[in-house]
Amino acid sequence: MDSIKDIRARCKNATAGEWTYSVLNGTKTPMTLYSDYEDDEVDIAEFEKWDSEYYAKEMIGNAEFLIHARQDIPLLCDRVEELEEELKRWEELFIQFDLKPPEKGGK
């Protein structure tokens, strides 16, 4: 499993700015993911044409996932680090008061 540090490094190395996408002329046309970085559009990825309404919905779903990952992953990393710190504090309290931690699964 990658460390939070590795995940943060990949985020830092990705194109900065708010990511978005554009679809040209509806279905059966290419889709481009891009970033508005420092008032300049930077292309991130381009999807090929698709043949059906089903694939159009799937591609838009993929694009939505990708454009939000740029903001979501750092937030998730922050939350994981907060929870790891909280766990350390609880572990220290259990050690300090010579308590047995609860068994996993709530038993």
Side-chain angles (χ1 to χ4, degrees):
M1 178 187 272
D2 292 346
S3 71
I4 297 294
K5 184 178 178 180
D6 295 333
I7 296 168
R8 284 190 185 279
R10 285 193 294 271
C11 287
K12 184 179 178 185
N13 291 331
T15 303
E18 185 175 341
W19 290 14
T20 191
Y21 67 92
S22 64
V23 178
L24 304 174
N25 303 321
T27 61
K28 299 185 179 184
T29 60
M31 175 190 294
T32 302
L33 298 182
Y34 62 93
S35 171
D36 286 331
Y37 179 62
E38 295 181 354
D39 297 326
D40 190 24
E41 283 186 7
V42 178
D43 287 353
I44 297 167
E46 188 169 296
F47 294 93
E48 297 291 324
K49 295 178 181 181
W50 52 83
D51 309 6
S52 70
E53 193 65 31
Y54 170 79
Y55 288 115
K57 289 179 184 177
E58 186 176 271
M59 296 302 279
I60 289 171
N62 291 341
E64 288 287 333
F65 177 81
L66 290 169
I67 66 173
H68 287 95
R70 185 69 181 90
Q71 287 82 29
D72 293 349
I73 291 173
L75 292 173
L76 290 171
C77 288
D78 291 345
R79 186 64 179 140
V80 167
E81 287 177 336
E82 288 172 12
L83 292 171
E84 286 175 340
E85 287 299 316
E86 176 99 9
L87 179 60
K88 283 181 190 177
R89 285 193 296 275
W90 279 104
E91 288 172 341
E92 290 168 2
L93 284 171
F94 275 93
I95 291 168
Q96 179 182 351
F97 293 103
D98 197 28
L99 299 171
K100 183 179 176 188
E103 292 182 26
K104 291 186 179 183
K107 296 180 181 179

